[in-house]
Amino acid sequence: MDPIKAMSVLNRACPYLARTGMTALQGLADVGLSGSGMRSLSTSAVEQARCGVCPGHTGQSALLAKASECPVVGPSIRANDAAAAAKASKAVHQAPATACPYAKCADSADAKASAGANAPSKSGVAASAAAPVSHDSQEAVFDYEGQYQAKLAKKHGDKSYRYFNNINRLAGRFPQAHTANAANIVTVWCSNDYLGQSKNPVVVDAMKDALDTYGAGAGGTRNIAGNSALHLRLEAELASLHRMEAALVFSSCFVANDATISTLCSALPGCVIFSDKMNHASMIQGIRHSGAKKHVFNHNDLAHLEQLLAQYPRSTPKLIAFESVYSMSGTVGRIPEICALAKKYGAITYLDEVHAVGMYGPHGAGVAEHYDYEASLRAPVGQRIAGSLMDQVDIVTGTLGKAFGIVGGYIAASSSLVDMIRSYAPGFIFTTSLPPPINAGAVASIQYLSESQRERYLQQTHVRQLKSDLASAGIPVVPNPSHIVPVLVGDAERAKMA
């Protein structure tokens, strides 16, 4: 093909070269190819000009250098240049016979050529990946609102959409509350404020005093300006309650479980987690975030747990995560047996006492303390009781938002483990700490329930009476030994309407 005609073909095929102009292109071709004569700018000659190992070629022509800048043709040229360079070790090169896709469409309209540029090139994925993303098209953006609505429609469709009741509990009329209409008084049967500590005058007065003295907010994260004497006092109270060396307070027990499990198990090389099938979502979230290998054992199934533990040598770091009281079924965890298995197979135990702290044991430390009731009653609070069940648990996690009537979560364990979590857990480090009134109220509530047995006694008495009354009325209750009263409602939608 005549050089001028060849350049004319490229000029018409490529909108970028078309703007450059024929005169400029001819000048570039003359400069770039003067060393070997004006070689034909047919497709095969163009392919040869791209290749640095062709006989007589002294480098990429100025014309091709200009063409490689084209946003349409350029990516394909650059991809082919890279492929040709990989074959540079060959002494003889046979120029590809495949015609340039842009030369082929020279007789097509410019609009067709532009449309063809959007089609996958023969260089495949490499060329597509190298092509810059264009934001000039009129393509519609992603339908964000439509996606949100579709997810909500799914919830409505399977009847799992959550409706939040407007419940305003009245401190002077516990357990009553008013709805959105202040004149509409209802009785709250589903509160986690098990012992009514949120309206206990001792707790409320402590919070008022702290509010007057220190204000409403914490002022920052614990590592900046949010670490106060009340934080340290609260952690000392919790460590003493569980007879552990140290404790650490979080904004909630969900955060405590997520941050502790994820941080701890990612720090233990090759750690394997063994999780009870009915564990709370917060522990499941922490397990996911840890990235550690996990096994889920059937609820309270010791044989299944041991079968899983036996797969690993004692030298493998292992964590067994379970609860003392399971909130949905009311069942109680097999704490002594699980601790024995942990010792046998070299694992550490992670016991969630969220629904048990304040509720069980002579001082309200939970089910683990309740197992050694008499020994715990005799020993001074905070003193380690060798051989007790509490002494066999490695990590305890609890909440301040249920029986203690405030808000927040915590862990209690050895001082080195607590310090490691304090130093590495993002969920602890990078969040504003609990406000002073919350800390003061929690300290007062823990101390009160550590001394008073009245609230626990009355609560257990009322639970037994309620379960008996429900059974007499023919209302099905899942049997269990704890204070949880699981009532089977059947159809959720009909129950909501009722």
Side-chain angles (χ1 to χ4, degrees), residues 1-13 22 29 33 37-46 63 99-100 102-107:
M1 181 183 293
D2 179 80
I4 301 302
K5 288 184 179 179
M7 283 188 289
S8 178
V9 168
L10 290 175
N11 183 257
R12 291 197 307 273
M22 279 294 297
L33 299 179
M38 190 63 175
R39 283 203 271 174
S40 170
L41 282 176
S42 64
T43 301
S44 60
V46 170
L63 174 61
C100 171
Y102 297 99
K104 277 187 175 180
C105 66
D107 296 330

Side-chain angles (χ1 to χ4, degrees), residues 380-418:
V381 175
Q383 179 179 301
R384 175 175 175 257
I385 305 175
S388 67
L389 189 57
M390 292 180 75
D391 195 43
Q392 298 175 51
V393 175
D394 296 290
I395 308 161
V396 173
T397 179
T399 184
L400 305 171
K402 292 183 170 51
F404 291 130
I406 316 295
V407 69
Y410 65 90
I411 62 167
S414 69
S415 57
S416 57
L417 185 146
V418 168

Side-chain angles (χ1 to χ4, degrees), residues 56-79:
H57 182 66
T58 57
Q60 188 186 51
S61 72
L63 174 61
L64 263 295
K66 183 69 176 177
S68 67
E69 298 174 10
C70 172
V72 179
V73 183
S76 183
I77 292 175
R78 292 193 293 272

Side-chain angles (χ1 to χ4, degrees), residues 117 129 132 136 139 167 225 227 234 348 387 446 492:
D136 296 331
E139 181 184 3
I167 299 295
N227 186 52
L234 174 55
I348 58 174
I446 293 167

Side-chain angles (χ1 to χ4, degrees), residues 334-382:
R334 309 284 294 275
I335 306 175
E337 296 89 345
I338 290 177
C339 286
L341 287 175
K343 183 177 181 180
K344 179 178 179 180
Y345 291 98
I348 58 174
T349 49
Y350 188 97
L351 176 62
D352 184 311
E353 290 257 33
V354 163
H355 288 273
V357 290
M359 302 290 292
Y360 299 91
H363 303 291
V367 175
E369 183 190 41
H370 203 85
Y371 269 95
D372 298 293
Y373 196 96
E374 294 301 326
S376 297
L377 188 61
R378 291 192 303 268
V381 175

Side-chain angles (χ1 to χ4, degrees), residues 209-466:
D209 290 344
L211 182 64
D212 291 338
T213 305
Y214 299 109
T221 63
R222 291 285 294 272
N223 62 320
I224 301 179
N227 186 52
S228 70
L230 283 171
H231 288 93
L232 302 177
R233 185 179 174 190
L234 174 55
E235 288 170 346
E237 286 288 343
L238 290 167
S240 177
L241 176 67
H242 291 285
R243 304 180 190 274
M244 294 284 193
E245 292 178 355
L248 194 65
V249 175
F250 295 79
S251 55
S252 73
C253 198
F254 191 105
V255 175
N257 280 336
D258 183 10
T260 302
I261 293 176
S262 60
T263 302
L264 173 62
C265 294
S266 61
L268 300 174
C271 180
V272 181
I273 302 173
F274 302 84
S275 175
D276 189 285
K277 186 177 182 178
M278 292 184 66
N279 274 344
H280 189 262
S282 57
M283 286 197 279
I284 296 171
Q285 190 80 338
I287 292 169
R288 286 173 180 161
H289 288 164
S290 74
K293 184 175 182 180
K294 74 173 187 299
H295 292 283
V296 178
F297 60 93
N298 296 328
H299 178 53
N300 272 345
D301 190 334
L302 299 174
H304 188 207
L305 173 58
E306 182 164 20
Q307 177 187 356
L308 296 172
L309 286 166
Q311 298 176 25
Y312 299 90
R314 284 177 55 84
S315 59
T316 298
K318 310 172 195 69
L319 179 136
I320 305 174
F322 63 112
E323 301 182 32
S324 60
V325 176
Y326 290 85
S327 62
M328 299 306 293
S329 64
T331 52
V332 175
R334 309 284 294 275
I335 306 175
E337 296 89 345
I338 290 177
C339 286
L341 287 175
K343 183 177 181 180
K344 179 178 179 180
Y345 291 98
I348 58 174
T349 49
Y350 188 97
L351 176 62
D352 184 311
E353 290 257 33
V354 163
H355 288 273
V357 290
M359 302 290 292
Y360 299 91
H363 303 291
V367 175
E369 183 190 41
H370 203 85
Y371 269 95
D372 298 293
Y373 196 96
E374 294 301 326
S376 297
L377 188 61
R378 291 192 303 268
V381 175
Q383 179 179 301
R384 175 175 175 257
I385 305 175
S388 67
L389 189 57
M390 292 180 75
D391 195 43
Q392 298 175 51
V393 175
D394 296 290
I395 308 161
V396 173
T397 179
T399 184
L400 305 171
K402 292 183 170 51
F404 291 130
I406 316 295
V407 69
Y410 65 90
I411 62 167
S414 69
S415 57
S416 57
L417 185 146
V418 168
D419 198 18
M420 192 271 286
I421 300 299
R422 182 191 70 85
S423 301
Y424 284 91
F428 171 81
I429 298 170
F430 301 107
T431 188
T432 300
S433 62
L434 292 177
I438 296 298
N439 295 324
V443 168
S445 186
I446 293 167
Q447 291 178 339
Y448 178 90
L449 290 177
S450 180
E451 297 296 328
S452 175
Q453 302 290 341
R454 180 175 180 272
E455 287 75 15
R456 283 188 285 276
Y457 173 80
L458 288 175
Q459 208 270 348
Q460 291 291 338
T461 301
H462 292 156
V463 166
R464 284 196 296 271
Q465 185 62 52
L466 176 60

Side-chain angles (χ1 to χ4, degrees), residues 161-167 496:
Y161 181 79
R162 295 177 184 270
Y163 294 91
F164 294 154
N165 293 321
N166 189 332
I167 299 295
K496 176 67 180 178

